[in-house]
Amino acid sequence: MHIDARPFAYEFDLATTALVLIDMQRDFIEPGGFGESLGNDVSLLEAIVPATQRVLQAWRGAGGLVVHTREAHRPDLSDCPPAKRNRGAPTLRIGDAGPMGRILVAGEPGNQIIEALAPVAGEIVIDKPGKGAFYATGLHELLQQRRITHLLFGGVTTEVCVQTSLREANDRGYDGLLLEDCTESYFPAFKAATLEMVRAQGGIVGWTAPSSALLSALRGQEG
Ligand code: TIU
């Protein structure tokens, strides 16, 4: 299969490709969570939910592997470095009690993936203590066991957890593509810059493409 992508066509096989949705959690997308505690207008992020839902449904329909990540810390915060917890002047720090439970803590209501994109049985769910999906998780090993070589990324936020994960994937030898309308930032200019820098220099970090290009490829596969 191939996707009309930038800087050039992205070739992939369904059997060796995973869809990776980064941190589509209430903590980032809904008011009262981590994202808002940092001073962000979280309403910007929900715009990508319909396109991401279409991609998720199509990818599931094609039988592709799905990976969801959550930025999540243990309740005792033993995996949250003080440097991360103490950075800046948020209204609520990681581990503090907020309207959706403790901020960025595993198992709390705010830490769950939004209902529209909730994982289903058989999909991989990775709790990660850092911004990247590979740091201090077993993701690379899980993907290697399944012979995955290509990763299609969506999620939030573009220049923080998504870009970090894409770069980590690139350094581990994966071909990564960022779905342009399935990722969003609290800063539109940062999203635009990320898309540009990923595909610059002949795809120095990877590819970008609109989700419609992936959906076309999957429709072609159905014949
Ligand atoms: N603050 C921000 O833009 N993002 C994060 O802290 N984590 C993710 O991107 N998931």
Side-chain angles (χ1 to χ4, degrees):
M1 265 190 266
H2 94 266
I3 296 177
D4 276 333
R6 289 196 272 178
F8 51 87
Y10 179 84
E11 306 285 344
F12 72 101
D13 288 325
L14 194 55
T16 53
T17 305
L19 173 67
V20 184
L21 296 181
I22 301 288
D23 300 359
M24 291 298 289
Q25 298 164 262
R26 301 182 67 199
D27 253 317
F28 296 103
I29 295 166
E30 295 185 15
F34 183 57
E36 190 177 70
S37 81
L38 298 172
N40 297 303
D41 172 4
V42 298
S43 67
L44 281 174
L45 302 195
E46 64 190 21
I48 64 166
V49 173
T52 308
Q53 213 173 9
R54 281 193 292 276
V55 163
L56 181 58
Q57 281 165 1
W59 193 252
R60 282 173 176 160
L65 179 66
V66 180
V67 177
H68 305 260
T69 70
R70 297 182 292 214
E71 189 170 346
H73 291 284
R74 294 188 197 121
D76 65 3
L77 303 187
S78 58
D79 58 356
C80 181
K84 180 175 183 181
R85 185 162 195 272
N86 296 334
R87 188 84 46 82
T91 53
L92 292 169
R93 290 190 188 278
I94 296 169
D96 288 350
M100 294 193 289
R102 294 180 66 203
I103 298 289
L104 226 54
V105 169
E108 298 288 335
N111 207 242
Q112 304 309 311
I113 292 168
I114 60 170
E115 196 57 40
L117 301 172
V120 299
E123 296 179 348
I124 295 174
V125 181
I126 298 283
D127 278 348
K128 61 186 189 48
K131 301 306 183 193
F134 291 86
Y135 169 68
T137 70
L139 179 58
H140 186 47
E141 291 70 23
L142 284 170
L143 295 175
Q144 285 194 310
Q145 282 163 13
R146 290 167 170 77
R147 310 232 183 285
I148 297 294
T149 55
H150 289 59
L151 301 174
L152 307 174
F153 283 94
V156 296
T157 60
T158 313
E159 81 284 8
V160 182
C161 290
V162 177
Q163 184 171 206
T164 303
S165 299
L166 189 53
R167 288 175 181 277
E168 285 184 333
N170 189 50
D171 283 349
R172 286 164 177 76
Y174 298 92
D175 280 328
L177 179 143
L178 179 50
L179 294 163
E180 296 162 5
D181 51 333
C182 297
T183 185
E184 195 50 87
S185 168
Y186 301 122
F187 305 87
F190 290 173
K191 172 179 173 175
T194 300
L195 296 177
E196 288 289 333
M197 71 178 77
V198 162
R199 64 190 177 221
Q201 304 182 63
I204 191 76
V205 182
W207 286 255
T208 80
S211 63
S212 58
L214 170 60
L215 296 179
S216 295
L218 293 174
R219 275 195 296 273
Q221 182 76 358
E222 286 163 16

